[in-house]
Amino acid sequence: MAEFLTIGEPMAVLASSNPDKSLVDATDFEKFVAGAELNVAIGVSRLGHRAEYISAVGQDPFGKFIQKSLAEAAIGNDYVSEDAQHWTGFYLKERVTHGDPATFYFRKNSAAANFDSHVLDQIDFSDVKIAHLSGIFAALSENDLSVLRQLNQYLRDAGKFITFDPNLRPVLWDSQAKMIKVTNELAKNADLVMPGINEGKVLLGSDDPETIANFYLDQSDYTKTVIVKLGPKGAYIKQRNGDTQTIPGFYVETVVDTVGAGDGFAVGLITGLLDGLPLDKAARRGCAIGALAVMSPGDNDGYPTPDELTTFMQVQQH
């Protein structure tokens, strides 16, 4: 069984190859696998840790593509079911040279949005060291919100370490008020919460890292650590004992695509913890992989192998 476990919606992404052209005008696209939690599983596996992914796909070409990609990435798919009644989600993504790319989703009523909760009863949690959850799965449907809450409870009952990334996707929610309420409630169950600084403005009305950290530490006895992702500036860490640190970011000469950077941070942090690194060094690894992510066009193809990560971090130190 895997050391790492996550649940999410896998998607195919058709990413434009035409820089700074709108999705209306773009004519050339590349196909990648995507989905925030799947991105993290791919990165964790690429760095040599056993990862298990929970989800559902349709019986369609995108579903087959995702199943094939999971196998190639050596990610466990014992809990990825096929749904003959619903399709696999996908989305279109712009190619931009500055800022965040526009995206357009085709995922309503997808196979993942209709995930069968009985699958959770089959899961073997015995070897899991870290489980990573995000707010995206909860946004897909009321069914998936119930599933995520149930999985959260199973993980707590099993005494597993839970990381939570809000991963706000306003377009998927019925209202911003519901998104804020549910996302902050879900964060209460995590041992470690990792919001982005811009997410803090939405979720609690502040982009001050310490204010954001204090909010999540104060709202739950479970949460012992909050790491606020600061984008190119790195990350701010605050622990329940009051210790704080700011971890610097890594220099990036050319930004190709910002999608996947936050998930890259999660990859670095989680694998660092699995490797026994101190929290600050794990977060530093997270910053490195976030930087590598923005230099590649796919959501996760910039995530490194162990040798690539070592080389990048060594070069940046000089």
Side-chain angles (χ1 to χ4, degrees):
M1 183 57 191
E3 306 164 87
F4 173 78
L5 180 73
T6 191
I7 187 171
E9 178 176 32
M11 292 182 292
V13 54
L14 301 177
S16 170
S17 303
N18 306 129
D20 297 320
K21 280 194 174 184
S22 71
L23 290 174
V24 174
D25 296 323
T27 56
D28 303 306
F29 292 83
E30 294 180 88
K31 183 174 68 174
F32 300 94
V33 292
E37 303 88 356
L38 178 54
N39 291 339
V40 178
I42 288 171
V44 168
S45 179
R46 199 168 289 167
L47 287 175
H49 293 278
R50 292 171 294 128
E52 190 78 35
Y53 185 59
I54 309 167
S55 194
V57 297
Q59 293 182 348
D60 50 55
F62 285 152
K64 300 297 183 188
F65 170 60
I66 288 165
Q67 293 274 41
K68 180 181 178 183
S69 298
L70 288 171
E72 290 173 348
I75 295 170
N77 64 349
D78 290 348
Y79 312 119
V80 177
S81 56
E82 286 192 1
D83 183 340
Q85 305 302 316
H86 302 94
W87 64 345
T88 306
F90 67 99
Y91 75 100
L92 306 176
K93 181 173 67 172
E94 279 184 345
R95 173 79 177 272
V96 295
T97 53
H98 300 285
D100 294 333
T103 58
F104 195 90
Y105 290 117
F106 299 83
R107 63 198 299 186
K108 187 176 179 61
N109 204 30
S110 67
N114 290 275
F115 182 83
D116 183 355
S117 63
H118 293 97
V119 173
L120 300 184
D121 296 323
Q122 305 168 19
I123 297 174
D124 178 3
F125 296 101
S126 56
D127 293 333
V128 173
K129 295 178 181 175
I130 296 178
H132 180 65
L133 307 178
S134 96
I136 297 176
F137 197 73
L140 297 177
S141 63
E142 287 299 318
N143 173 76
D144 284 6
L145 174 55
S146 176
V147 166
L148 195 64
R149 285 172 169 157
Q150 184 178 344
L151 177 59
N152 235 322
Q153 190 58 55
Y154 284 4
L155 290 165
R156 289 250 66 98
D157 290 346
K160 302 304 178 181
F161 188 89
I162 302 171
T163 61
F164 180 76
D165 187 336
N167 260 326
L168 298 183
R169 299 291 188 274
V171 70
L172 298 179
W173 290 92
D174 296 335
S175 70
Q176 179 162 302
K178 182 176 181 181
M179 176 180 72
I180 292 170
K181 179 177 183 292
V182 172
T183 302
N184 286 336
E185 284 177 354
L186 291 170
K188 291 179 181 180
N189 290 304
D191 298 275
L192 187 154
V193 182
M194 55 178 89
I197 191 166
N198 291 327
E199 290 176 325
K201 287 193 285 188
V202 176
L203 291 169
L204 58 127
S206 176
D207 59 0
D208 174 63
E210 185 170 21
T211 300
I212 297 169
N214 287 341
F215 174 85
Y216 289 106
L217 289 168
D218 291 344
Q219 76 161 357
S220 171
D221 291 336
Y222 289 128
T223 304
K224 301 298 189 294
T225 304
V226 178
I227 302 181
V228 182
K229 294 171 288 185
L230 307 176
K233 294 182 179 179
Y236 172 84
I237 303 171
K238 185 165 186 178
Q239 300 184 70
R240 181 166 294 281
N241 63 9
D243 288 350
T244 63
Q245 287 178 284
T246 299
I247 308 300
F250 285 78
Y251 174 72
V252 174
E253 185 171 349
T254 302
V255 174
V256 175
D257 185 348
T258 57
V259 175
D263 300 326
F265 180 86
V267 169
L269 176 72
I270 288 166
T271 58
L273 295 176
L274 288 172
D275 287 335
L277 295 181
L279 184 61
D280 60 333
K281 293 189 182 300
R284 179 68 170 160
R285 181 187 287 187
C287 291
I289 298 179
L292 284 164
V294 304
M295 293 189 279
S296 299
D299 288 15
N300 53 59
D301 58 319
Y303 298 167
T305 63
D307 288 345
E308 290 167 346
L309 176 61
T310 299
T311 299
F312 179 73
M313 295 187 74
Q314 287 177 342
V315 168
Q316 289 277 334
Q317 288 174 352
H318 297 293

